[in-house]
Amino acid sequence: MEQKLHKQLSSYDINLFTEGLKRHLNIDFTEYANAFLRFRIMKFIDKWGIKDIETLLLRLRSNTSLLERFVLFMSVETTEMFRDPGFWRVFQKRVIHDSLSKKDSTINVLVPFITSDDELFTLLVLFEKNGLLEKSYIVATSPFEVNIKRTKSYSFTEKQVALANENYKRFAQNMDVHLWDYFIKTENNGYVFRDDLLDKVNFVVTDIVSNNFASVDRNFDLILFRNRMIYFNLNLQNRVLEHLFYHLETKGFLVIGFKENISSFIFLDRLKKVDKKEKIFIKIK
Amino acid sequence: MANYYIFIGGSAGSFQSIVKILNSLPETYNYPIFLSLHRLKHVRGGFVEALSIKSKLKVVEPEDKTVIMGGLVYLAPANYHMYIEVSNTIALSTEEPVNHSRPSIDLVFKSAAYVFEKKVIGILLSGANKDGAEGLLEIKNYGGTTIVQDPKEASVSVMPQSALDLFKPSYVMTVNQIIEFLNSIYI
């Protein structure tokens, strides 16, 4: 019977590590949520058989390939296409049908902090099906170039595509529909998302907080930002929201995750929830 | 800060036990209770309502960064992991499933062990996989109290038995004994 003590990383260890990453490698996780960092970093250390967090920092400083893997590992993928099918039904009705499809001018869309990114793929499917792609300007950003590379060349497993299909049927409330025509089978039995849709996306490497969208020259009618803030601490959440808010058009939509919380956001009174259940907000002033 | 933080994990066959435990605690029970139960990921509603039918305590599904309050029952939302943060808040995550489960019992137990140490009471009920066993050991290692439902009573014994295979908990109890214990620590 084994009873070993699993020593968890202390907040002190984590702070030293994230400060070191920022100082030496210009990678900023200093304001990520503490519990997430504690478990995620430990999981990476275990996975790669690294002795401890100090050794991890040293190895990241000298090994670019390991650093790339670390950044990808810390950028949690967004689980599955059409996650929460009920949400996407409301989104299609309230955001696409009731508003964006009635717009005559270009629809500007931002998907910030992308990772792999199933949310972006889902959006592309919905925009294509609703005939909005040709009049949309879609920007997807990440502070890390590796996330953009991963998104552009993301290889789905058959299981992931099957799950996307299952979710899509739930979304459409129709068992006869499918998404197989959005994927192309590769030689190694994986699937990639259709290039012609991905070509509609303008991928930008930018840190929204530190450079204030320096490389993004417009405001947006829709900001799709589900389940990304949960990895930030409250201070960073509010700063990111503030930057996003400034780049949201009046009457534009901000969409966040079902269980994300913006109750402490300073401009909350300038946002109005458009659905009882889903976290879809419209900027009212 | 509460004197105790009660964490209950369960999967297949645990629902009736959870209901019985919640229904047996008084409305003045002022320790926070956290439930990490394996549940269908597509069904986002209904669970809180089902648990609330006879519970005298308010059951809620927390949002990310919710401040922990005594006297509330926090149910981990479907398809999210639940962590306890050092700032006395609850954090959520969509990281990959652990032991095929999201929410994972191990993750919430381990994060609670680190933050609340000996104030944690961890309870593992009926279930069909080993999720929760390692987390419960972590609670023990940080000085908390660990309770495993008697596998002979559990509808599905895999989960409590996995914990017993890993270490000796503070108590092996039936659901009635767990209720008695939870009431006995409440002043």
Side-chain angles (χ1 to χ4, degrees):
Chain A
M1 195 176 287
E2 190 186 0
Q3 291 196 35
K4 67 177 177 183
L5 176 65
H6 293 274
K7 183 96 173 110
Q8 293 190 27
L9 296 174
S10 69
S11 299
Y12 179 75
D13 290 333
I14 293 167
N15 288 345
L16 277 184
F17 174 78
T18 52
E19 287 295 342
L21 263 187
K22 187 178 173 185
R23 189 167 59 250
H24 299 296
L25 296 161
N26 200 26
I27 289 174
D28 192 357
F29 288 121
T30 53
E31 292 187 283
Y32 274 54
N34 191 280
F36 165 72
L37 289 173
R38 172 172 301 113
F39 285 93
R40 202 73 185 165
I41 295 169
M42 205 61 225
K43 204 167 174 180
F44 189 82
I45 285 174
D46 284 347
K47 185 176 174 184
W48 289 89
I50 293 164
K51 189 178 147 211
D52 53 32
I53 193 167
E54 292 86 0
T55 311
L56 173 63
L57 183 57
L58 287 174
R59 287 190 53 186
L60 293 177
R61 289 178 65 183
S62 61
N63 184 335
T64 315
S65 161
L66 187 70
L67 179 63
E68 208 165 273
R69 288 170 194 273
F70 178 74
V71 170
L72 285 174
F73 190 75
M74 298 302 287
S75 310
V76 176
E77 296 181 39
T78 44
T79 74
E80 60 209 53
M81 283 179 68
F82 284 93
R83 178 189 162 106
D84 307 328
F87 156 78
W88 287 108
R89 261 198 308 279
V90 173
F91 176 86
Q92 179 168 257
K93 178 174 186 323
R94 305 302 294 264
V95 178
I96 293 182
H97 292 168
D98 293 353
S99 179
L100 298 183
S101 60
K102 293 176 182 163
K103 197 167 184 278
D104 294 327
S105 52
T106 302
I107 301 167
N108 292 305
V109 179
L110 174 67
V111 187
F113 291 95
I114 60 162
T115 54
S116 51
D117 185 84
D118 293 306
E119 293 285 288
L120 177 64
F121 297 139
T122 306
L123 184 82
L124 290 171
V125 170
L126 281 183
F127 268 40
E128 202 253 356
K129 285 193 179 293
N130 284 282
L132 298 187
L133 264 190
E134 293 310 318
K135 62 172 188 173
S136 297
Y137 187 89
I138 301 172
V139 179
T141 73
S142 170
F144 307 118
E145 190 161 10
V146 283
N147 282 330
I148 287 176
K149 268 165 60 186
R150 174 163 68 177
T151 302
K152 282 179 170 176
S153 60
Y154 193 75
S155 180
F156 290 81
T157 62
E158 185 149 352
K159 197 175 164 188
Q160 284 175 304
V161 180
L163 180 57
N165 273 305
E166 193 187 307
N167 285 346
Y168 183 64
K169 288 175 200 294
R170 286 176 194 272
F171 156 79
Q173 297 178 307
N174 180 351
M175 293 310 286
D176 298 328
V177 297
H178 64 81
L179 290 175
W180 286 105
D181 45 344
Y182 285 88
F183 297 92
I184 295 153
K185 195 163 188 174
T186 59
E187 284 173 2
N188 53 3
N189 286 327
Y191 293 83
V192 290
F193 197 71
R194 264 172 44 194
D195 272 355
D196 60 315
L197 297 191
L198 274 177
D199 286 347
K200 302 287 181 193
V201 181
N202 301 277
F203 290 98
V204 181
V205 180
T206 183
D207 185 335
I208 285 171
V209 176
S210 64
N211 75 1
N212 191 19
F213 281 104
S215 42
V216 178
D217 59 349
R218 63 191 64 218
N219 288 344
F220 297 95
D221 303 296
L222 165 65
I223 298 178
L224 180 62
F225 190 41
R226 291 205 313 152
N227 295 324
R228 307 308 316 164
M229 277 192 297
I230 49 181
Y231 301 109
F232 305 157
N233 70 18
L234 206 53
N235 286 340
L236 183 57
Q237 285 186 353
N238 282 322
R239 284 216 312 285
V240 168
L241 279 172
E242 208 171 315
H243 285 282
L244 295 179
F245 181 83
Y246 283 129
H247 285 83
L248 185 64
E249 289 285 0
T250 303
K251 295 188 181 171
F253 295 94
L254 171 67
V255 181
I256 62 171
F258 180 56
K259 285 293 173 187
E260 286 178 309
N261 176 3
I262 59 167
S263 57
S264 62
F265 179 47
I266 53 167
F267 297 130
L268 190 59
D269 62 333
R270 295 171 66 183
L271 292 168
K272 185 182 167 193
K273 212 160 164 256
V274 301
D275 184 75
K276 273 186 197 163
K277 189 174 167 189
E278 307 299 346
K279 298 278 179 65
I280 301 173
F281 297 89
I282 190 165
K283 183 173 175 178
I284 50 174
K285 57 181 174 175
Chain B
M1 295 287 278
N3 289 338
Y4 293 107
Y5 296 82
I6 298 159
F7 289 80
I8 305 177
S11 183
S14 67
F15 182 74
Q16 290 307 330
S17 303
I18 299 274
V19 168
K20 192 170 175 184
I21 291 169
L22 293 185
N23 295 356
S24 306
L25 299 174
E27 63 184 325
T28 50
Y29 203 80
N30 59 2
Y31 304 138
I33 298 173
F34 304 82
L35 306 178
S36 183
L37 309 175
H38 295 168
R39 50 189 293 196
L40 294 172
K41 68 176 187 173
H42 291 302
V43 184
R44 292 189 286 168
F47 213 148
V48 166
E49 292 75 7
L51 291 171
S52 301
I53 292 172
K54 288 187 181 170
S55 171
K56 297 174 198 78
L57 297 168
K58 188 175 179 191
V59 184
V60 296
E61 271 188 2
E63 293 186 333
D64 182 54
K65 309 295 183 287
T66 293
V67 176
I68 296 168
M69 312 266 282
L72 287 179
V73 179
Y74 297 99
L75 171 69
N79 219 3
Y80 284 94
H81 291 303
M82 182 165 77
Y83 286 118
I84 302 303
E85 278 285 6
V86 285
S87 50
N88 198 44
T89 57
I90 293 169
L92 301 176
S93 145
T94 58
E95 287 163 89
E96 54 278 8
V98 175
N99 296 317
H100 309 288
S101 311
R102 187 172 52 217
S104 153
I105 304 168
D106 272 338
L107 276 187
V108 71
F109 278 7
K110 287 180 183 180
S111 65
Y114 178 80
V115 175
F116 299 132
E117 300 179 327
K118 63 184 181 186
K119 291 182 172 181
V120 175
I121 296 171
I123 302 171
L124 194 60
L125 301 173
S126 169
N129 77 5
K130 63 173 189 175
D131 191 25
E134 277 188 16
L136 203 62
L137 173 58
E138 194 90 330
I139 289 173
K140 178 193 163 93
N141 287 336
Y142 275 85
T145 304
T146 52
I147 301 174
V148 173
Q149 184 182 13
D150 189 339
K152 290 198 284 290
E153 183 198 55
S155 307
V156 185
S157 63
V158 177
M159 191 173 274
Q161 190 58 52
S162 298
L164 296 180
D165 291 345
L166 194 63
F167 72 106
K168 185 169 184 251
S170 315
Y171 306 102
V172 177
M173 290 176 161
T174 63
V175 169
N176 283 339
Q177 288 169 327
I178 292 170
I179 290 168
E180 209 173 299
F181 175 83
L182 291 178
N183 277 305
S184 75
I185 60 167
Y186 165 63
I187 304 165

